[in-house]
Amino acid sequence: MVRTKLNKGQGSQDTTVVQSLIGAKGLPFYLRCLQSLLEHCREEISLLIHQDGTLMESDLQDIQRQLSGKASFTDPGKSLERTMDNLQGRPHCQSVRKESLWGQEFFDPLFSMPDDSISFYVDADILFLRPFSGIFRPSIVLNGALFLRDTQWDAYSLRPWQLMGFGNRPSIVQGITTAVVCWDKEVIDWEYLEWFLERKDLHKIPGWVLPTAQSGLAARCQARVISPHQLPNLYPNAKVTEQTFGVHLLGSYREHWLPIITQLQQEARPLEQAMEARLEPCRPCNPLSYGKNQIRRWINTRLDKW
């Protein structure tokens, strides 16, 4: 069913709450990124920060000060309890939430604000470079979801042949990155999610299980991606252009890219007008194209050829 109105909560707020997850390790870098989000986003936003349990009270005070009082924090224990309560009857979802940081990153933002039908989540390793708008609007996510587009890899946990055959099969869309995850919570197919998380044979790469699950969920709704020219994942061969308003600094390549991006920031001309995010529909991914992408990833990672 397609909805035309938002549930009371998100639609009645003057400020949109954007959620993120951080810990003590790498905190100065994460704060730099979150500061850039607050500085450059032209929608009125505040931050709700989830934590991995490593932050001290003094850290929280420093974070609040550096983010100009625009951040609030969840309690890790209460967040876990609330999420587990909401996942009752879905034991495989509960298991993933208890056992992994990725589970916390995906599930907790969905249940932290129960009166809002839309959730907005951003990883704290996205550095925004220029003013932008058009991502954190509830109307954009209504009846669907929003992610980053990954043009380099389909970073999923299953094998190409597992998409083929009869009976229940997983489905995926062309590469998405869950560094930006915005969901209309009412369109999430919980039955598919529980089924996928039960299928351990589809979990060949543990760190990519939930992105793969979300790719399957994206195939079941009106999901979209942000243009990769505007918000790219910084693989070694990535390009930053005048169209780029933010960059996802992937951990494996961050050391290479960070000084380059810092230099670009120092040289960039100020923009008077915000750049409007260009959104594109998620596209289905078939076994053949997924297989070709796996070969590309093997060449990139094993032969270091980009």
Side-chain angles (χ1 to χ4, degrees):
M1 181 178 69
V2 176
R3 291 185 299 128
T4 58
K5 294 183 180 180
L6 295 165
N7 285 359
K8 184 179 179 181
Q10 196 67 259
S12 62
Q13 291 178 342
D14 295 327
T15 300
T16 297
V17 177
V18 178
Q19 304 182 63
S20 194
L21 171 66
I22 61 175
K25 184 178 181 180
L27 185 58
F29 167 70
Y30 296 137
L31 288 180
R32 176 182 173 183
C33 291
L34 293 176
Q35 283 177 312
S36 75
L37 169 61
L38 292 171
E39 176 185 355
H40 290 300
C41 181
R42 289 302 175 259
E43 276 95 26
E44 188 66 30
I45 65 171
S46 63
L47 298 177
L48 177 60
I49 296 178
H50 301 260
Q51 47 180 311
D52 63 3
T54 61
L55 295 174
M56 308 293 289
E57 183 61 33
S58 58
D59 294 322
L60 302 183
Q61 295 174 2
D62 288 341
I63 293 168
Q64 187 69 275
R65 182 170 57 254
Q66 292 189 53
L67 297 181
S68 305
K70 290 189 175 183
S72 57
F73 306 93
T74 62
D75 178 274
K78 292 180 180 178
S79 290
L80 174 60
E81 182 180 359
R82 178 174 55 246
T83 297
M84 295 299 287
D85 286 345
N86 279 279
L87 292 176
Q88 282 187 1
R90 300 186 175 100
H92 300 287
C93 290
Q94 287 184 321
S95 177
V96 170
R97 170 55 185 96
K98 285 190 296 185
E99 295 173 2
S100 75
L101 193 63
W102 301 298
Q104 180 184 5
E105 180 183 88
F106 173 58
F107 288 114
D108 285 17
L110 295 176
F111 302 117
S112 61
M113 302 178 65
D115 292 333
D116 292 341
S117 60
I118 308 292
S119 67
F120 297 94
Y121 174 87
V122 176
D123 270 354
D125 58 359
I126 295 179
L127 186 64
F128 291 92
L129 311 175
R130 297 185 175 100
F132 72 95
S133 61
I135 296 179
F136 305 118
R137 294 176 190 160
S139 60
I140 287 174
V141 188
L142 185 65
N143 293 311
L146 184 64
F147 306 96
L148 290 191
R149 175 77 169 98
D150 193 334
T151 57
Q152 188 68 27
W153 295 349
D154 294 328
Y156 300 143
S157 64
L158 44 75
R159 304 302 186 212
W161 54 86
Q162 293 178 308
L163 297 171
M164 300 184 293
F166 301 99
N168 290 334
R169 292 288 168 181
S171 55
I172 53 175
V173 296
Q174 293 176 11
I176 60 170
T177 302
T178 53
V180 171
V181 178
C182 308
W183 270 109
D184 181 339
K185 294 182 275 189
E186 295 196 14
V187 304
I188 295 175
D189 187 338
W190 288 100
E191 298 305 317
Y192 174 82
L193 181 60
E194 179 71 7
W195 172 84
F196 181 85
L197 295 180
E198 181 182 11
R199 287 285 303 273
K200 302 299 183 184
D201 59 306
L202 301 175
H203 305 171
K204 303 299 184 183
I205 304 177
W208 290 353
V209 169
L210 276 172
T212 311
Q214 292 198 68
S215 183
L217 296 175
R220 289 161 165 75
C221 67
Q222 299 174 22
R224 295 192 281 181
V225 290
I226 304 165
S227 168
H229 299 292
Q230 294 184 311
L231 191 46
N233 295 296
L234 290 189
Y235 292 100
N237 60 343
K239 297 187 186 319
V240 179
T241 71
E242 292 184 354
Q243 301 179 57
T244 305
F245 61 70
V247 292
H248 181 209
L249 287 151
L250 299 162
S252 298
Y253 314 110
R254 188 176 301 157
E255 186 176 348
H256 165 76
W257 273 107
L258 198 52
I260 297 173
I261 296 302
T262 300
Q263 183 67 28
L264 288 175
Q265 282 184 296
Q266 294 170 351
E267 297 173 354
R269 295 174 298 172
L271 291 181
E272 295 182 3
Q273 188 172 358
M275 301 176 69
E276 182 75 10
R278 297 196 305 271
L279 307 181
E280 307 166 358
C282 288
R283 302 188 183 280
C285 185
N286 61 52
L288 180 59
S289 64
Y290 181 55
K292 289 180 178 178
N293 189 276
Q294 299 299 287
I295 294 172
R296 177 197 294 175
R297 179 161 60 86
W298 189 91
I299 292 172
N300 292 161
T301 57
R302 305 300 173 85
L303 303 181
D304 196 25
K305 291 185 178 181
W306 297 82

